[in-house]
Amino acid sequence: DLRVVAGQRVGLEIIPAADRPNIVIIMSDDMGYSDLACFGGEIQTPNLDRLAAGGLRFTQFYNTARCCPTRAALLTGLYSHQAGIGHMVADKGHDGYRGDLNRRCVTIAEVLGPAGYRSYAVGKWHVTKHTGPNGPKDNWPLQRGFDRYYGTIVGGGNYFQPNALTRDNTQIDSANDPEYQPKQFYYTDALSDHAAKFVADHARDHGGKPFFMYLAYTAAHWPMHARDEDIARYKGKYDAGYEPIRRARLARMKELGLVDLAWQLSPTAGDWEKVEKKAWEARCMEVYAAMVDCMDQGIGRVVKSLSDSGQLDNTLILFLQDNGGCAEAIMRNNERERDILPGGKETFVGYGQSWANVSNTPFREYKHWVHEGGISTPLVAHWPKGLAPQLRGKLAGDPAHLVDLMATCVDLAGAEYPSQFEGRRILPMEGVSLRPALAGQSLARKQPIFWEHEGNKAIREGNFKLVAKHKGAWELYDLAADRTEMHNLAAKMPEKVKELSGKWQAWAARVGVQPWPVNPPK
């Protein structure tokens, strides 16, 4: 069976529908590299830990440092500028910055549909500027290949009463939703419950077909809202402040083999002794932990639904995060000054830079920046039928990126990645399949991995990473020896800087990167 993949003809065997895996991609929001227990954290994530223990953990997987670009790259297998979302969902007048998925790309759902897959989207969409109920819906999930959808078209909001809550193509009010009336509405639970239901419904109604599911939580993005019973589980957990938590995480990461003993821990961002309202500050992290904990509970219900319906064994589950911990100190109406503790629906708080620094242990920087703290995510891969048994519970160290997820789905599904779709030319995939890693082999990557967000830029080739903040000079790091980016080699290796910066410039020109801030064309 000859098929066109990224414009090249390759030979593929026809894979029977019964042997094609279901694929479930689960993504959380605004979480750091070390938050999950299976990546060193103290937050209780037993369900993800079980997936990790029976699966494979990728230690050098990368996102794009921000929510919208990450979603665009994940869904399309292209760099976000190529898909039209080089920044956020606003039109800045250039093709790479239209704030809408363009028609030079296809989504994973659009590619897997012709291969016999049904597709379901649950959660945060955030790849279109048209979010209202009466505006264009051509970039809503059902118009981009998905068969069912429940979630929010917008990027975030109140967890107890979310904005732009949508079922399929219709926006709904959680308080008056006849199909879903829990005792207390909480958005994270609603996403988990709908994902579990979609899994069960698929087995009942379409059991002869494989499925793809994209489950995008908003947890733990601000505003930090959580259920009282989840917050209570972390009472007092963070009273000692930032440094003891970071040190404990680092020690566990070393035990787990996630951190090289030679790497230097990046500086701690906050001084706990100078925090005036320690109870308020500790509560921020208690609420954050509760949000992650609740998400993990929901992932457990989704896995149970897969197991109960007999679909777990041949389902590839991938868990990742959209960017690093968020340093934005979000507050409304001087909540810190008024001693209103975070967590309730009347609050609107983000946990701020110091706790984000803890989340990103041991790395530098945060969401927005493309140093390791902004772009490093755990990737947990669980697939009982497809993962080599000797790899279960192990680590995979090859660098990989969001753009690889499309290539992986195409590979495993025996699908055809089109050179044209609905009469339009489609850009070729940028990534490589992760299938070799699932067999304990190296990835077949021939090109570097690139980043640009708000003028922050980077390229990684092999173990070398060239990175710069907006308007800052290039910095060069050997990530094998120094993944925490504490020893800049740029002055010692100018030829390597020249080589990698030239490759970055060529990539930036090819994908449509514009100087930051992006100004409309003259």
Side-chain angles (χ1 to χ4, degrees):
D1 178 32
L2 286 176
R3 298 186 176 162
V4 178
V5 179
Q8 295 181 350
R9 297 182 69 82
V10 296
L12 291 174
E13 295 181 0
I14 298 175
I15 304 174
D19 293 333
R20 297 180 184 188
N22 306 311
I23 301 169
V24 177
I25 297 178
I26 305 173
M27 186 163 65
S28 67
D29 202 333
D30 280 16
M31 284 180 61
Y33 186 76
S34 66
D35 282 325
L36 302 181
C38 55
F39 273 77
E42 70 294 326
I43 301 173
Q44 297 176 46
T45 54
N47 293 292
L48 283 167
D49 296 349
R50 277 192 288 273
L51 293 178
L56 188 65
R57 282 166 292 166
F58 287 74
T59 61
Q60 298 195 80
F61 197 84
Y62 289 113
N63 52 49
T64 72
R66 194 74 179 277
C67 43
C68 296
T70 280
R71 288 155 216 282
L74 184 159
L75 284 166
T76 67
L78 304 177
Y79 285 105
S80 54
H81 308 79
Q82 295 172 295
I85 305 183
H87 187 233
M88 299 291 281
V89 285
D91 191 340
K92 297 183 177 294
H94 297 269
D95 286 346
Y97 300 83
R98 295 295 181 186
D100 252 327
L101 283 184
N102 61 34
R103 296 293 163 167
R104 297 187 303 159
C105 66
V106 282
T107 68
I108 295 173
E110 287 173 323
V111 174
L112 296 193
Y117 277 68
R118 283 182 61 82
S119 291
Y120 308 100
V122 183
K124 175 175 172 176
W125 187 239
H126 211 202
V127 287
T128 178
K129 60 191 174 189
H130 300 295
T131 60
N134 300 316
K137 298 180 180 179
D138 54 297
N139 268 328
W140 286 25
L142 265 61
Q143 284 65 249
R144 294 307 302 247
F146 289 93
D147 295 290
R148 296 176 73 179
Y149 173 64
Y150 177 90
T152 44
I153 299 297
V154 297
N158 192 305
Y159 283 76
F160 295 100
Q161 191 172 8
N163 299 321
L165 185 63
T166 303
R167 177 174 286 110
D168 296 328
N169 275 327
T170 303
Q171 291 195 345
I172 56 178
D173 182 349
S174 59
N176 300 314
D177 180 6
E179 296 188 32
Y180 183 72
Q181 282 294 319
K183 184 176 179 181
Q184 178 191 44
F185 183 93
Y186 182 64
Y187 187 46
T188 302
D189 284 337
L191 298 183
S192 301
D193 293 344
H194 279 80
K197 185 177 188 301
F198 286 178
V199 166
D201 289 354
H202 178 87
R204 182 193 66 202
D205 300 333
H206 305 281
K209 289 187 173 185
F211 73 86
F212 166 66
M213 178 177 287
Y214 171 51
L215 171 53
Y217 288 99
T218 52
H221 192 291
W222 51 262
M224 296 198 316
H225 294 157
R227 303 180 305 188
D228 290 340
E229 59 267 32
D230 292 327
I231 300 173
R233 300 174 71 183
Y234 295 92
K235 184 173 177 59
K237 187 79 173 179
Y238 299 101
D239 288 356
Y242 319 119
E243 187 70 17
I245 300 296
R246 287 193 90 215
R247 293 289 177 182
R249 288 190 178 196
L250 181 64
R252 283 191 294 271
M253 296 174 90
K254 289 179 178 178
E255 291 175 6
L256 293 169
L258 298 164
V259 170
D260 192 297
L261 300 180
W263 296 348
Q264 183 180 345
L265 178 63
S266 63
T268 298
D271 184 344
W272 189 251
E273 296 306 314
K274 294 181 180 179
V275 175
E276 293 183 4
K277 299 194 175 183
K278 290 183 171 60
W280 192 96
E281 187 71 7
R283 169 78 171 205
C284 283
M285 192 62 189
E286 291 171 6
V287 176
Y288 177 89
M291 296 171 76
V292 176
D293 188 315
C294 181
M295 177 189 68
D296 182 80
Q297 295 173 44
I299 291 171
R301 296 198 295 278
V302 176
V303 173
K304 185 177 186 300
S305 185
L306 285 164
S307 180
D308 289 348
S309 58
Q311 300 178 98
L312 181 60
D313 190 53
N314 198 26
T315 297
L316 170 63
I317 301 174
L318 297 170
F319 174 88
L320 69 156
Q321 300 160 186
D322 70 343
N323 45 248
C326 177
E328 300 164 32
I330 302 298
M331 282 184 288
R332 185 180 60 188
N333 300 328
N334 297 316
E335 288 161 301
R336 186 192 295 267
E337 286 71 21
R338 295 192 291 126
D339 290 324
I340 298 176
L341 291 176
K345 62 183 177 182
E346 73 282 357
T347 67
F348 198 98
V349 172
Y351 69 170
Q353 180 177 2
S354 297
W355 286 122
N357 177 238
V358 173
S359 285
N360 294 340
T361 302
F363 302 130
R364 286 176 53 193
E365 304 304 337
Y366 315 90
K367 172 184 178 180
H368 293 267
W369 289 276
V370 296
H371 286 74
E372 293 292 283
I375 58 175
S376 297
T377 169
L379 179 70
V380 176
H382 183 274
W383 182 17
K385 187 175 180 179
L387 181 65
Q390 68 272 21
L391 297 178
R392 292 173 188 171
K394 304 299 185 182
L395 306 177
D398 277 11
H401 186 277
L402 293 159
V403 295
D404 299 331
L405 298 182
M406 169 70 87
T408 304
C409 291
V410 169
D411 184 5
L412 297 179
E416 175 183 334
Y417 183 89
S419 57
Q420 292 193 357
F421 186 77
E422 296 180 347
R424 296 181 301 273
R425 186 177 69 86
I426 300 300
L427 294 173
M429 291 185 291
E430 293 283 338
V432 301
S433 175
L434 301 180
R435 183 204 285 260
L438 303 179
Q441 301 166 6
S442 297
L443 301 182
R445 189 179 308 283
K446 297 179 180 178
Q447 298 297 322
I449 302 172
F450 300 93
W451 293 266
E452 190 280 333
H453 182 67
E454 296 180 337
N456 304 306
K457 54 192 178 181
I459 171 176
R460 175 163 182 176
E461 186 169 44
N463 288 325
F464 281 106
K465 179 182 174 188
L466 193 68
V467 59
K469 291 185 177 182
H470 180 224
K471 295 186 177 180
W474 284 114
E475 304 164 20
L476 179 67
Y477 299 99
D478 177 353
L479 296 192
D482 175 33
R483 195 176 168 199
T484 53
E485 299 170 310
M486 299 298 293
H487 303 283
N488 182 6
L489 303 175
K492 295 180 179 179
M493 303 180 68
E495 289 304 312
K496 178 60 73 172
V497 172
K498 181 179 179 181
E499 174 196 348
L500 293 179
S501 63
K503 291 181 178 181
W504 185 91
Q505 292 291 349
W507 168 83
R510 178 172 68 84
V511 303
V513 170
Q514 295 292 322
W516 185 260
V518 176
N519 296 312
K522 294 181 180 179

